[in-house]
Amino acid sequence: MKLAGVAGHDRIRTILSRALERDRLPPALLLSGPDGVGKKTMALAAAQATLCETAPAPEPCGECSTCRRVSAALEPARLQEQREEADRHPGEDEWRNFRLHPDLVLVEGWRLTRTGRPRPEPEIRVGQVRSLVTEVAGAPFEARRRVFVVDDAHSMNESSQNALLKSLEEPPPRSHLILVSGRPQGLRQTIRSRCQGVRFRPLSRVNVIQILERAGSVEPELIPELADRSAGSPGRALRLLELG
């Protein structure tokens, strides 16, 4: 996964690539903006570049052992397996902290209650964050640095956000925390103020069409209409397709 593979967002890509090349990725980033425009993809590409054996470099090489392991862990089928396994352990918070590499963790919210019932909205639980905070404070296992990506960070409940604050107040030198959020106003101001913010915008219609064409799962004749209805979000376009 490379930053150059994320359609649009040229300014953001340039900023992140320069920071990676200079080995100056901030200890805490908040990537915010509309859902489905590539925030999480960009976060994971930056994480892979940080761990890459050629680092510091503006892009992950894609060829080293670390890059291959991260890319394999990010395969949709592999991630889905981890999600399904987590759902078999709904009472154990840290099961939705997915380890993609010894030094890369992806945190996602629970869509089940602790008793296994569906939740109306996902929730990042305090146990997940406490486990994360412990890891953030630790030294890297294999790579030069460690990266922790928190998707839908606004789904942290109040206790979870309180637990995260200490890591943001005293960031360790070799750990990076990347929060991804479509609703950053759901995060406490004390969290937002301790992160370097990067704001994503809706993609152009041309970019949306390119992404839908690359997806390979959309009938070509449907793509123009989906792009028109997407509001600049390929993710929204794909959800519209699922809804029929």
Side-chain angles (χ1 to χ4, degrees):
M1 178 180 293
K2 294 197 174 187
L3 279 78
V6 183
H9 311 303
D10 293 345
R11 182 185 63 85
I12 294 173
R13 186 187 308 107
T14 298
I15 290 170
L16 291 177
S17 292
R18 285 177 178 168
L20 290 163
E21 187 172 28
R22 296 170 183 171
D23 203 17
R24 299 190 64 179
L25 192 71
L29 279 167
L30 171 57
L31 308 188
S32 64
D35 288 333
V37 297
K39 302 184 303 297
K40 178 180 174 183
T41 303
M42 191 80 82
L44 291 168
Q48 183 171 329
T50 302
L51 270 58
C52 177
E53 293 165 27
T54 67
E59 284 274 14
C61 73
E63 302 295 334
C64 68
S65 173
T66 297
C67 281
R68 292 198 302 270
R69 289 164 68 186
V70 172
S71 294
L74 287 171
E75 286 291 330
R78 181 80 66 87
L79 273 177
Q80 185 59 29
E81 286 177 5
Q82 291 197 62
R83 292 178 181 125
E84 290 172 359
E85 181 63 26
D87 286 346
R88 288 191 276 272
H89 304 269
E92 300 174 54
D93 293 1
E94 62 275 10
W95 272 85
R96 283 195 84 89
N97 290 10
F98 302 131
R99 191 170 300 281
L100 308 179
H101 176 276
D103 294 307
L104 174 57
V105 174
L106 170 64
V107 178
E108 292 186 352
W110 281 92
R111 296 183 178 276
L112 298 176
T113 66
R114 287 190 172 88
T115 58
R117 295 179 179 275
R119 289 184 53 84
E121 294 287 339
E123 177 186 50
I124 296 176
R125 302 176 186 167
V126 66
Q128 291 177 265
V129 177
R130 286 174 178 159
S131 175
L132 178 71
V133 167
T134 299
E135 291 215 50
V136 168
F141 289 111
E142 297 181 11
R144 299 166 60 253
R145 299 183 181 277
R146 309 191 77 192
V147 185
F148 304 88
V149 177
V150 182
D151 192 28
D152 289 333
H154 56 270
S155 65
M156 286 187 285
N157 60 34
E158 185 175 353
S159 297
S160 299
Q161 295 195 36
N162 287 336
L164 183 66
L165 275 174
K166 184 173 178 58
S167 288
L168 295 174
E169 291 167 353
E170 303 173 11
R174 292 198 287 172
S175 289
H176 301 274
L177 184 66
I178 306 179
L179 307 183
V180 179
S181 177
R183 286 181 275 166
Q185 68 275 13
L187 291 166
R188 291 179 53 175
Q189 174 59 27
T190 45
I191 288 179
R192 299 199 304 269
S193 66
R194 287 166 171 79
C195 298
Q196 183 165 324
V198 180
R199 179 72 181 175
F200 284 66
R201 304 294 180 188
L203 291 168
S204 70
R205 183 177 185 274
V206 171
N207 285 147
V208 173
I209 287 174
Q210 290 172 341
I211 292 169
L212 295 178
E213 288 175 341
R214 287 206 302 261
S217 57
V218 185
E219 296 292 334
E221 62 271 17
L222 298 178
I223 289 176
E225 180 185 353
L226 288 172
D228 289 338
R229 298 171 59 196
S230 70
S233 166
R236 174 182 168 84
L238 292 172
R239 288 193 296 274
L240 288 170
L241 182 65
E242 291 174 2
L243 294 172

